[in-house]
């Protein structure tokens, strides 16, 4: 009520007939979907020919570097994201509405290792959250997400060295990050199992942050955007 009266007063002072406020979204916030403890990744040929035809900027650097669709069933069933990974270079990409997006650096690591869906910015549209690893000389695991509205891929500052992480969803529906153990038949055929909790991904105002439990510091995403 007070806000409406204040708006009318300002309009009268400026000689305007009406004030327009930012429309409130009527989109329902989506509940997070992801593994609780374990995730198995299996390679598929679904849409691979379509993806490789579109991914013309990527130059294969190995004689045998075959691409597979590694999208988990729960992501394929609830969203339009498709995730593709090369089995030698471990380079990983997201295809969304026929456009291709890189997840981040993969050289020297395993590429993408886990995935979950969330709507932490509360716009009624999915973000794809994921962990990935890379590192020349020292293995590191990081967390990123792809925003389907802004079409930006964002990576958190936090890195876990010499081990891996995975994204999980707990019984309360929180999007969490755990240390992880990987059982790999190949870079595109593996399972990942959650170990101790590392942190939780949260919304703070209009920012999506990673709260790392080791020092309780909220780390704002955004150090790398593509």
């Amino acid at each position: 009520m007070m806000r409406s009266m204040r708006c009318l007063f300002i309009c009268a002072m400026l000689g305007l007939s009406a004030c327009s406020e930012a429309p409130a979204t009527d989109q329902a916030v989506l509940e997070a979907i992801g593994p609780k403890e374990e995730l198995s990744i299996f390679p598929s040929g679904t849409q691979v020919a379509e993806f490789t035809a579109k991914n013309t900027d990527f130059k294969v650097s190995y004689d045998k570097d075959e691409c597979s669709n590694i999208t988990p069933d729960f992501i394929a069933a609830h969203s339009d994201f498709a995730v593709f990974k090369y089995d030698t270079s471990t380079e990983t990409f997201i295809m969304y509405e026929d456009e291709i997006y890189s997840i981040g650096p993969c050289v020297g690591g395993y590429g993408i290792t886990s995935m979950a869906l969330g709507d932490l910015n509360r716009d009624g549209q999915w973000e794809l959250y994921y962990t990935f690893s890379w590192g020349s000389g020292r293995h590191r695991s990081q967390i990123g997400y792809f925003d389907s509205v802004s079409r930006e891929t964002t990576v958190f500052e936090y890195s876990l060295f010499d081990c891996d992480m995975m994204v999980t969803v707990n019984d309360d529906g929180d999007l969490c990050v755990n240390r992880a153990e990987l059982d790999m038949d190949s870079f595109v055929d593996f399972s990942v199992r959650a170990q101790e909790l590392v942190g939780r991904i949260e919304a703070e105002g209009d920012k999506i942050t990673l709260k790392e439990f080791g020092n309780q510091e909220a780390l704002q995403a955004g150090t790398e955007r593509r």
Side-chain angles (χ1 to χ4, degrees), residues 41-45 48 51-52 55 58-70 83-93 106-112 184-190:
I41 298 294
F42 303 103
S44 164
V48 168
F51 165 77
T52 53
N55 195 26
F58 176 66
K59 305 301 181 185
V60 176
S61 55
Y62 296 89
D63 291 338
K64 294 182 178 180
D65 197 10
E66 295 185 5
C67 181
S68 294
N69 185 328
I70 61 163
V83 181
F84 297 87
K85 187 176 184 181
Y86 289 84
D87 65 359
T88 302
S89 65
T90 74
E91 293 292 337
T92 312
F93 300 88
C106 297
V107 61
Y110 301 148
I112 205 166
M184 306 193 78
D185 290 332
S186 74
F187 291 130
V188 296
D189 186 353
F190 60 92

Side-chain angles (χ1 to χ4, degrees), residues 1 33 60 85 91 93 130 166 195:
M1 180 66 177
I33 303 174
V60 176
K85 187 176 184 181
E91 293 292 337
F93 300 88
Y130 58 88
M166 73 176 292
Q195 298 181 319

Side-chain angles (χ1 to χ4, degrees), residues 90-165:
T90 74
E91 293 292 337
T92 312
F93 300 88
I94 298 165
M95 187 165 73
Y96 181 73
E97 294 186 346
D98 294 329
E99 297 294 330
I100 309 299
Y101 305 89
S102 173
I103 66 157
C106 297
V107 61
Y110 301 148
I112 205 166
T113 52
S114 71
M115 291 164 264
L117 295 172
D119 181 21
L120 295 189
N121 59 16
R122 304 175 68 84
D123 61 1
Q125 303 295 321
W126 290 120
E127 302 102 47
L128 176 62
Y129 293 86
Y130 58 88
T131 55
F132 67 104
S133 67
W134 63 284
S136 178
R138 189 175 184 188
H139 184 87
R140 71 181 68 191
S141 183
Q142 288 188 277
I143 307 149
Y145 69 92
F146 174 77
D147 187 322
S148 61
V149 175
S150 68
R151 306 298 178 91
E152 287 186 328
T153 303
T154 304
V155 176
F156 291 96
E157 293 180 358
Y158 179 74
S159 295
L160 191 63
F161 289 92
D162 303 324
C163 59
D164 290 280
M165 294 186 288

